Each structure stands twice: as structure tokens, then as C-alpha cells.
Amino acid sequence: MNLYDLIVKRIKEGQIGSDGPVTNVSTSAMLTAEITLISSILVVLIMLRLVNNVIMIVAFLVVLFAALVSMPLMPKLKREQNDSLSNMTFYVILALAIVITLFYWGSLNV
Amino acid sequence: MIIDTQLASLFTAGALIVIGIFAAVFLDNLIKKVIGLAFIGDGANLFLIAMGYKPGGIVYIYLPGMARDWFAQNAAYPLPFALVLTSIVIGASTMAVMLGIIMVLYKRRGSLKASKVLGE
Amino acid sequence: MNLLIPLMVIVPIICALFLNLLHKKDRTVKVIAIALALTLPLLPILANYGLHYFGGYAPLAQNSAISAGLPSLITGTALNTFHPAITYAFQDAQKLFIFILGLVALLAILVSLYETKRPSGVYGYMMFMGVAAMMAIILTDDIFNFYVFFEIAALATVGVVLVSQIKGNYETALKYMILGSIASPLLLLGIALLLGVTGNVNITDIMASLKSGVVDPQNPVLLMACGLIVFGWLYGSGLPPFHTIKSAIYSKALPHGAALLQAFSVFTFVALGIIIIRIFSYLPFSQMVILGVSLLAMILGITMALLQTDIKRMIGFLAVGELGYIGIGLGLGTVSGITAGLFQAVNEVVITAFLFIGFGAIYYQTGESDIRKLGGMMVKTPLVALLVLLAGFAMAGVPPLNAFQSKLMLIQSSIQAGVPELGVIMILLSIVTFMTFMKAFHAVFLRPKPADLEIKNEKIPKATILALLVFLVVCIVFGLFPQLATGFLQNLSVSLAGGMP
């Protein structure tokens, strides 16, 4: 199916939130990856103290709460980074849009 | 805004790149994807050669009988021409390798649909 | 002009062409490949520092013979200092990078000649063309010349994957080419925008134009050019969003090919990163974008590496993660940060090649690279097990091996720059890297052998053991004497950091 239908299907699926089974061999790896991901993101957020202390505390608490609520993050992240061409092309175009917007509009207006 | 040759070329290059990205991302047939990728390359090359435009400029071939200073003042910019030739060759070889791989995949899988051959 | 500088690019190209012609004549292919691969690390040691001008001459300001006859219309303006040639610059940093690239290429080619049943001239052609392209990318001072060799390296990468006969390699190669054909013309578009604004493709001249005010640095077209060139940089180095296809490429190539391909990615990262810092460091966003992309690469790469079951895929994702360390060094912008980042790049190339060839010896013996199906290899090959264990220690940063020195320097520079959080993340991810490696090591070497694992080739070729020992020696030497490497990187770091605000 083409990319448009894929995006629509993923948005519909994401709201229901399906979870695949996790096998025994990879349980410890999945747990470690989960903890690593959440702690790295939280430490990165502490760097916001260079911008404004209040923003840092708010962002830290929001992200901590969001991560704890949607706890099994790693299976979803692993499923997203698969090898299918349409998935990779979607992220490439998204990254292109983000980089161009950041450099062009961001530098002009900040 | 005066629409001279250079501005029209830049708009065309932009349109080619957008159409090429659309084709490469959304179309399902592998050959159509490759044609879209060729469009992106063509758009970039057209943009590059349009950088050499000089209003009222002459072709940068120094014929006998031309005054040296007059030629230096009036010739169009020759550098993009050399760059575009190299870039067209690179684009052609990349397309050739891609089409070769598609031929092998068609023989093995019997289909040109990207979702079937590459989607997994 | 130093004549050995162009030879660093010409010798691998000529060797590649000969190997392609002589394909199927096994002895000749082997002799030529080994003889010319030995020159690859030797040429940078013998060459003098200097500039080489391809197809042109030195700038008019230094060339009084030609500039005497020209009107002041030309000699009185900035045109006097421009380089009318494709300039290759060979200084101390390039010497170190080309030596390490030549060493990794020599050992990868040596292993490939002895591990495949028949030496393949076509495979040698791909590897040598890729090495030639990378040498040119490190040496060049001309951004369009960089683009040309960047495309040649991409084609050579695809060639190395196509030859490997691993299941699924054609599909992966096609996906890589499709994504590449979206990203490379956009890089070319960025170069075209730079050409349109500054009228130049020589990086030194572009920098001079921006600094002296001939071109307005705040021109919005330059911002767009920076964005497009950064996007091309993401593609060439395998940073997110291209990290999945890059690690897929590493997994579908034979291990010695993957060892060479990861060297290509790291050196493209370093070369284009240096170009971006040289031209665009005055933009407020460039430093933050480099840091942000590197953090994303580290976190995504190392967390994905934990979850892989294919060894080559796991090392591929770890390689992407380690690229993030290099990027943090470059993004910090201080002299010690950039030196540490470039030192980490050099170490990274050696260690990842070490790991690929080490686990490649296991792949050569069993034909299997899935860790669920492997086991008990410690009994069969204790020497390879010891060497792979040392490679894993090296990647995680255990003293006295080389990555310890570079990671320590990175953490110290991040604390000095006032962002200790980066140091904390680097330590955390190094611990997780170590855990990932130990998990793979245990699965392959330490646990009992599964009953259905068959040994295809009993003896590991001496060339593989030699390659692993040479890599170990390099790791130990750089670990005990880091000044050997950082001494070469000082000048480049000072010139790069000077431009940063």
C-alpha cells in the first residue's frame, strides 16, 4: 500500500496502542534499554538550565510523567525503527523538514 | 519581479525537485520511483547551471579578435558548466546501478511493486 | 608542490582499475592488491605537508609571474587571493587520518583476500575505489570535489554490499540508493546556493569572503545552504534518520567489507563536519544542531544496539552511537573538545574495524551471525576470544586502551565548557555499550555450544589473526601515549575553535 494509507493506518493504530509479545531472551536487554532511554532523556533535559530554570523543572516533570505513563517505550521505538522503505522515507522527509525549518525560519526569527 | 531566464530556471528547478520527491516517496512502482529520483537530480543540476547566468552575457569561448578586457567583463560565469557536467555523469551512473539492481530483483521476485519487493 | 599528495588518491584508483581488469587471475590479483595496499599507510608518512593545486595554479597574490600582466581590475580586488584550482591541503591532521584510513584499508583488504575462497578482483575494485574516494574527501579543500568523491564512495559502498551474497543484500542496497538519491541532490543544491552567493567552491575562499564582508554573512540564502548541507551530512555519516539503513548496510556486507564501510562513514562525518564548522560556525544554531543530532545518534544507536540479535547489526548500531561521541566533541567548540572529538574518531575507526574483523572470524568459521544460534566458540578459538574481549573493552573505554583516553578527554572538555550533563550521558552510555558487548560475547563464546551449530571452516586464516594483533597494538599504543595522536590534531583544533563564537 502506498505511504498515505500507511500514515492513516498508523495514526488509527497508535490511538488504540497495540503491544507485541516480548520474548524471554531479550527481556533484560529491553529493560536496560528502557531505563537507559528514560534516564538519558531526563539528563538531557537538565541541560535546559542554561535557558531558564523554571522551564527546565516544568519540562523535566512533564517528560517524567509522560514516560512513566506510557512505560513500555522500547518495543514501540524498536517497531518504529524498522527496515521498510516507506517508514525510512517518512522519517527522512520529516528530518529534512525539521532541519530546513530550524535553520531558515529559526535563524531569521530568533 | 522581472521574470528573466534565470528566475524561470530557478522556479522550474524547484518544481522538478518537489515533483521528484513526491514521486520517490509516494509512488509504488520501482521504476516510477527511479524516474522521480532522476527528476530530483535534474532539478539540482538546473539550479546549479542557472547560477552562472549573467544578464547580457556572452558565451565564455575566447575567440581570436576579442579584446581581452572586454571578454573578461562580458562573459557569463564558466564554473557551473564544469560542475554540472560532472554532476550529470554521476547521476547517470547512479541511475544505471539502481536500474541494474531493479532488474535482478524483478527476476528474483517477479514484481515491481515497492511494497512487495522492499516493504517486508 | 609535493608530488606524493595526489598519489594518495591516484594509487588506489589505478590499483582498483587493474584489479577489475585482472579479475579471475587469482595470484596476480592477490599480489597487486597486497603490494599496493601496503603503500596506502606508507604514503602519508613519506609525504611533506603542503598544498597541491590540481588543474590550475597558486593564487595570484602568490604568483607574481602571472599577475604582473593582469589589469588592476582583477589584481586589486578579492580575486587576487582566490584559488583558481582544486586545492588539496595536506597538514598534520590529514596525515593522521589518512594513515589510520590506510592502515584499516590494508588490513581489511588483507583479510578479504584470505577469507574468501577465491580473491575477487571486482570486490578489490570496490574497496580500493572507496578508499581512494575517502582519501580525496579528507584532503580536499573544494566543496564540489568533496561532493564528487562522496558520490563515488556511496557507489563503492553499494558495490561492497552487492558482492557479499548475504540474503537480502540487493534489497538493502536498493533502499540505500533510493534514500541516497533523495539526499545527495539536496546536498548539491546546498553547494549550488553557496556558489550562487559567494561565487566560489573553494572553502578557504568562501571563509575569507564571509569574514571580510565581501558577502553578507546574514544572507538568508546562506541559512538555507547550511540546512541543506547539514542534511547531506546526516546521510553521509549515518546519523538519524539514516542510522537504520546504515546499520542494515553493515549487516549485509561481509565483515571485512563492513570494517571498511564504517571507516568511510566516520571519515565522511569528520570531513563534512569540519567543513560545516569552518564555513557556518558564525550561525547561532549550528553548534546546537551538531550537539542535538549527536545526542540523538548516541541515545538511539546504543539503545537499539541492545535489542539486536544479529552481531553485525549490533556492532553497526554501536558504531552509529559512537559517532555521537565524536559529534559532541565537535559541537562543544572548544580547543580541547574538538581535539578530543577528532581523537575519538581515530580510535573509533580502529576499534569498530577490530570488532568487525574479530566477530567476522566467527562468521568465517560457522557461517552464522545470529547470537541465538551461536555458542561455545571459546573452546574452538581461545586466541580470537581473547582478542575480541580486548576489542570490547576498548570500545567501552577500559584503561589502558585508546577509547579510555579519548572519552576521558571528552568528559573533561564538556565539564570545562560548562555542560557536565553531557559527561554524565557519555558515562551512562559507555556502561550500556559495555553491557551490550558482554551480552554478545557471552552468547558467542562463553555459553555451551548448541547441538546444531556446524563448523564450516576449521582453521582461521593467519591474515585475520595478524590483522587483529595489529589493531590491538594500535589500541594499546594510543591508549598509553595519546600525545602521539593529539599532537597531530592540535593545529586543526585551534583553527576550528577560533572561528566559534
Side-chain angles (χ1 to χ4, degrees):
Chain A
M1 66 184 77
N2 61 23
L3 190 59
Y4 178 70
D5 292 337
L6 208 63
I7 296 177
V8 169
K9 183 175 137 210
R10 187 168 305 126
I11 294 176
K12 286 197 188 137
E13 218 180 73
Q15 287 169 351
I16 306 173
S18 53
D19 261 351
V22 176
T23 68
N24 204 359
V25 173
S26 56
T27 314
S28 66
M30 201 69 90
L31 276 175
T32 316
E34 186 80 29
I35 298 174
T36 313
L37 182 69
I38 297 181
S39 46
S40 319
I41 294 180
L42 291 175
V43 172
V44 167
L45 282 178
I46 296 186
M47 277 209 294
L48 280 176
R49 70 182 161 84
L50 297 168
V51 174
N52 191 342
N53 278 336
V54 175
I55 292 185
M56 171 192 92
I57 296 176
V58 166
F60 188 90
L61 290 173
V62 164
V63 169
L64 182 62
F65 182 67
L68 287 176
V69 160
S70 54
M71 192 53 178
L73 280 174
M74 272 322 287
K76 294 180 199 150
L77 203 61
K78 183 175 182 191
R79 239 194 349 252
E80 267 311 301
Q81 298 178 65
N82 56 22
D83 267 346
S84 85
L85 183 65
S86 41
N87 205 8
M88 287 196 278
T89 324
F90 169 69
Y91 279 113
V92 162
I93 303 295
L94 186 66
L96 175 64
I98 291 177
V99 167
I100 297 291
T101 315
L102 198 62
F103 271 100
Y104 193 68
W105 295 106
S107 289
L108 281 182
N109 301 325
V110 164
Chain B
M1 194 169 56
I2 308 171
I3 308 270
D4 58 355
T5 315
Q6 188 184 41
L7 200 55
S9 303
L10 298 183
F11 278 138
T12 314
L16 279 174
I17 292 180
V18 169
I19 294 174
I21 293 183
F22 175 83
V25 171
F26 286 107
L27 295 180
D28 204 26
N29 189 324
L30 279 175
I31 301 285
K32 290 184 188 171
K33 275 196 204 285
V34 170
I35 295 178
L37 296 169
F39 271 24
I40 306 178
D42 291 342
N45 287 332
L46 181 57
F47 195 95
L48 187 50
I49 193 73
M51 291 292 112
Y53 179 73
K54 188 188 174 85
I58 60 168
V59 175
Y60 26 79
I61 300 178
Y62 185 55
L63 295 169
M66 277 187 190
R68 189 183 65 178
D69 291 350
W70 176 84
F71 176 75
Q73 291 271 52
N74 282 306
Y77 192 26
L79 180 60
F81 145 74
L83 306 182
V84 166
L85 277 180
T86 316
S87 172
I88 292 176
V89 168
I90 293 172
S93 25
T94 313
M95 290 299 133
V97 175
M98 265 200 274
L99 289 172
I101 299 178
I102 291 178
M103 274 172 56
V104 172
L105 284 177
Y106 180 69
K107 269 193 216 138
R108 282 189 195 173
R109 303 286 203 97
S111 162
L112 277 179
K113 283 172 160 311
S115 46
K116 218 161 148 209
V117 174
L118 297 177
E120 295 162 86
Chain C
M1 287 199 221
N2 194 336
L3 285 175
L4 284 180
I5 298 177
L7 275 186
M8 289 187 229
V9 178
I10 294 176
V11 162
I13 292 183
I14 291 188
C15 182
L17 293 174
F18 272 131
L19 287 182
N20 197 18
L21 279 174
L22 296 169
H23 177 60
K24 295 241 189 333
K25 297 189 173 47
D26 297 350
R27 275 218 60 156
T28 328
V29 163
K30 227 178 202 177
V31 164
I32 291 186
I34 295 181
L36 285 175
L38 277 171
T39 63
L40 292 175
L42 275 180
L43 280 171
I45 300 180
L46 296 172
N48 295 324
Y49 297 151
L51 298 172
H52 182 88
Y53 303 106
F54 269 114
Y57 38 80
L60 290 174
Q62 299 161 13
N63 210 340
S64 49
I66 301 183
S67 67
L70 291 172
S72 68
L73 188 65
I74 298 176
T75 53
T77 57
L79 279 178
N80 210 19
T81 53
F82 283 173
H83 294 78
I86 299 178
T87 317
Y88 276 29
F90 182 70
Q91 307 296 341
D92 33 13
Q94 281 86 356
K95 185 175 195 157
L96 177 67
F97 290 147
I98 293 186
F99 173 70
I100 294 288
L101 174 66
L103 188 66
V104 170
L106 165 67
L107 294 171
I109 290 169
L110 193 66
V111 170
S112 80
L113 287 172
Y114 285 95
E115 271 191 7
T116 50
K117 285 192 205 59
R118 294 184 63 187
S120 165
V122 176
Y123 191 48
Y125 169 83
M126 298 295 171
M127 291 175 105
F128 273 103
M129 277 310 264
V131 170
M134 290 321 298
M135 298 225 171
I137 283 178
I138 296 174
L139 284 170
T140 188
D141 197 30
D142 179 309
I143 200 169
F144 185 77
N145 196 273
F146 171 89
Y147 170 75
V148 170
F149 282 106
F150 177 82
E151 288 291 287
I152 294 179
L155 279 173
T157 305
V158 167
V160 167
V161 169
L162 288 177
V163 175
S164 73
Q165 293 181 339
I166 295 180
K167 187 166 169 303
N169 60 341
Y170 273 79
E171 286 87 346
T172 309
L174 185 60
K175 284 184 220 173
Y176 184 69
M177 291 203 82
I178 290 180
L179 290 177
S181 292
I182 298 179
S184 306
L186 292 174
L187 174 62
L188 182 62
L189 194 61
I191 294 174
L193 286 169
L194 262 184
L195 173 66
V197 171
T198 60
N200 236 317
V201 280
N202 187 308
I203 298 168
T204 319
D205 295 340
I206 293 176
M207 282 170 67
S209 308
L210 287 171
K211 279 204 177 69
S212 65
V214 171
V215 173
D216 171 26
Q218 304 304 328
N219 194 335
V221 175
L222 284 173
L223 301 172
M224 191 70 154
C226 183
L228 290 170
I229 294 180
V230 164
F231 185 68
W233 179 56
L234 294 181
Y235 159 61
S237 15
L239 293 168
F242 297 95
H243 58 301
T244 39
I245 191 63
K246 258 299 154 111
S247 62
I249 287 275
Y250 295 154
S251 75
K252 299 294 181 197
L254 290 171
H256 32 84
L260 200 53
L261 293 180
Q262 61 86 27
F264 294 171
S265 301
V266 172
F267 283 120
T268 309
F269 181 103
V270 168
L272 195 46
I274 290 177
I275 290 175
I276 292 174
I277 294 178
R278 283 173 76 189
I279 303 180
F280 293 112
S281 60
Y282 65 92
L283 286 176
F285 266 125
S286 57
Q287 216 175 343
M288 282 202 302
V289 166
I290 296 180
L291 275 175
V293 162
S294 308
L295 277 170
L296 195 62
M298 270 166 65
I299 297 175
L300 282 180
I302 296 182
T303 49
M304 281 298 285
L306 267 175
L307 306 172
Q308 300 302 316
T309 52
D310 179 7
I311 297 182
K312 284 185 288 183
R313 204 89 206 247
M314 179 193 86
I315 306 178
F317 272 114
L318 280 180
V320 168
E322 300 291 324
L323 276 183
Y325 282 82
I326 308 170
I328 289 188
L330 289 179
L332 279 174
T334 57
V335 174
S336 61
I338 296 181
T339 315
L342 295 175
F343 185 30
Q344 170 75 7
V346 165
N347 292 337
E348 217 25 68
V349 170
V350 173
I351 294 172
T352 316
F354 193 178
L355 272 176
F356 267 122
I357 293 184
F359 278 114
I362 303 299
Y363 180 75
Y364 171 74
Q365 276 200 309
T366 60
E368 192 58 64
S369 70
D370 190 338
I371 55 174
R372 293 172 295 194
K373 301 196 186 125
L374 283 168
M377 299 308 296
M378 176 86 108
V379 179
K380 287 245 145 238
T381 51
L383 180 58
V384 170
L386 174 66
L387 290 168
V388 170
L389 183 65
L390 289 172
F393 282 174
M395 180 170 258
V398 173
L401 296 163
N402 50 359
F404 164 70
Q405 296 285 1
S406 60
K407 286 188 183 176
L408 183 66
M409 286 171 68
L410 276 170
I411 295 172
Q412 280 173 336
S413 351
S414 67
I415 295 178
Q416 272 169 359
V419 259
E421 293 86 3
L422 291 176
V424 170
I425 295 180
M426 283 195 264
I427 297 176
L428 179 67
L429 289 171
S430 291
I431 299 174
V432 178
T433 309
F434 190 56
M435 185 211 142
T436 315
F437 168 75
M438 283 317 283
K439 181 180 128 195
F441 185 76
H442 167 83
V444 172
F445 289 105
L446 294 176
R447 70 173 180 196
K449 184 163 163 303
D452 55 353
L453 181 66
E454 48 171 282
I455 306 289
K456 293 209 167 67
N457 297 301
E458 274 294 330
K459 240 176 130 334
I460 295 184
K462 288 207 186 63
T464 314
I465 308 280
L466 174 68
L468 293 173
L469 284 171
V470 170
F471 281 133
L472 180 65
V473 164
V474 171
C475 287
I476 295 181
V477 164
F478 278 164
L480 292 175
F481 308 107
Q483 316 84 305
L484 278 181
T486 52
F488 286 100
L489 299 168
Q490 263 324 91
N491 285 337
L492 181 62
S493 314
V494 168
S495 73
L496 285 177
M500 289 257 192

